Amino acid sequence: MTPTPTATTAATPTPAPTPAPAPTRALSASRTTATAARVLRQLRHDPRTIALLILIPCVMLFLLRYVFDGSPRTFDSIGASLLGIFPLITMFLVTSIATLRERTSGTLERLLAMPLGKGDLIAGYALAFGILAIIQSALATGLAVWVLGLDVTGSPWLLLLVALLDALLGTALGLFVSAFAASEFQAVQFMPAVIFPQLLLCGLFTPRSNMHPALEAVSDVLPMSYAVDGMNEILKHTDMTATFVRDVLIVAGCALLVLTLGAATLRRRTA
């Protein structure tokens, strides 16, 4: 009897499991600064945007001073408030358009496909525009106080602090609303919806206590109201008051909250 040969089956090698990608940390200093550097390099090649960011608030303050040339006390009463409002408006406008351009061009899509956290991306944008906000606020404050003669009772450095926080708030609002616009024109259209109501209700034109109770209640939840209140505290008091600290903390907290909401609007659409 012929022995039946034993069949030998070659063992098929089992492919090694693909290692899972390392989780991206929520926030990294190196990735944040790299994002900020990229945004600043792009802005460097857009001098019109830089001019809008840095020079327009100074030009508006200069015009306002000589509109009230015969009534310098009027400039003193509203100049400080507008010193905070102008940076907020310009930073909102430029940030919303610049961020929307990157959303629609696919730049954000490609960045989010990389090991880059949403927190890194939003913090990088905020850092880049925040650097410009520091320059803008410093120039506007120096022009108003030391060139145009804005008379304030408190420290000009506190004026600069509030102006800077307002500019950062405008940056945060611009990053946030860019998620809801489909074109640059729509981003501009958000200004009447987001900025103008705050401008009317912030107490610039009349004290908020003189408004209709319903409007006063609405103004109590708008961050620009506390920016104007903080500026008025500097106009009236030589020292930092508890009300001023409250106003500053509210503006800073609103900016941080809106930045967090802006990070939540970022979505990866690619696999």
Side-chain angles (χ1 to χ4, degrees), residues 62-261:
F62 186 85
L63 291 176
L64 183 69
R65 168 62 182 86
Y66 290 102
V67 164
F68 297 107
D69 190 40
S71 180
R73 297 305 303 172
T74 304
F75 175 71
D76 291 338
S77 63
I78 68 173
S81 298
L82 291 176
L83 183 60
I85 292 174
F86 286 156
L88 190 154
I89 293 175
T90 55
M91 293 303 295
F92 170 84
L93 182 62
V94 173
T95 305
S96 60
I97 293 176
T99 309
L100 177 66
R101 189 179 301 165
E102 296 216 329
R103 287 179 186 267
T104 55
S105 66
T107 301
L108 286 181
E109 184 77 10
R110 293 190 295 271
L111 289 173
L112 288 174
M114 301 168 60
L116 184 70
K118 296 179 181 180
D120 299 316
L121 196 59
I122 288 294
Y125 276 89
L127 177 60
F129 285 106
I131 292 173
L132 293 175
I134 292 173
I135 299 173
Q136 178 197 72
S137 301
L139 288 176
T141 302
L143 174 69
V145 175
W146 290 297
V147 177
L148 300 180
L150 180 66
D151 186 16
V152 294
T153 303
S155 170
W157 295 106
L158 296 180
L159 278 180
L160 175 60
L161 173 63
V162 180
L164 175 59
L165 288 176
D166 289 344
L168 293 176
L169 176 61
T171 298
L173 289 171
L175 288 170
F176 177 65
V177 303
S178 67
F180 305 99
S183 66
E184 295 180 12
F185 179 69
Q186 286 186 3
V188 175
Q189 288 178 316
F190 271 102
M191 179 173 280
V194 176
I195 299 297
F196 288 178
Q198 297 193 67
L199 189 62
L200 293 174
L201 299 177
C202 67
L204 176 64
F205 301 104
T206 185
R208 293 192 291 129
S209 58
N210 294 342
M211 298 178 184
H212 188 279
L215 295 180
E216 184 181 1
V218 173
S219 72
D220 287 341
V221 298
L222 298 177
M224 191 182 292
S225 301
Y226 297 95
V228 171
D229 288 349
M231 289 295 193
N232 289 333
E233 286 293 307
I234 301 171
L235 287 176
K236 299 174 183 176
H237 303 281
T238 56
D239 298 324
M240 185 184 301
T241 64
T243 302
F244 173 81
V245 174
R246 180 208 64 183
D247 295 335
V248 167
L249 291 177
I250 289 176
V251 174
C254 288
L256 182 60
L257 174 62
V258 176
L259 281 176
T260 304
L261 294 175

Side-chain angles (χ1 to χ4, degrees), residues 14-47:
T14 303
T18 304
T24 303
R25 289 178 298 170
L27 197 62
S28 165
S30 60
R31 291 193 293 263
T32 297
T33 53
T35 301
R38 182 187 62 82
V39 174
L40 290 174
R41 284 195 300 269
Q42 290 180 335
L43 289 174
R44 187 182 60 184
H45 299 294
D46 191 355

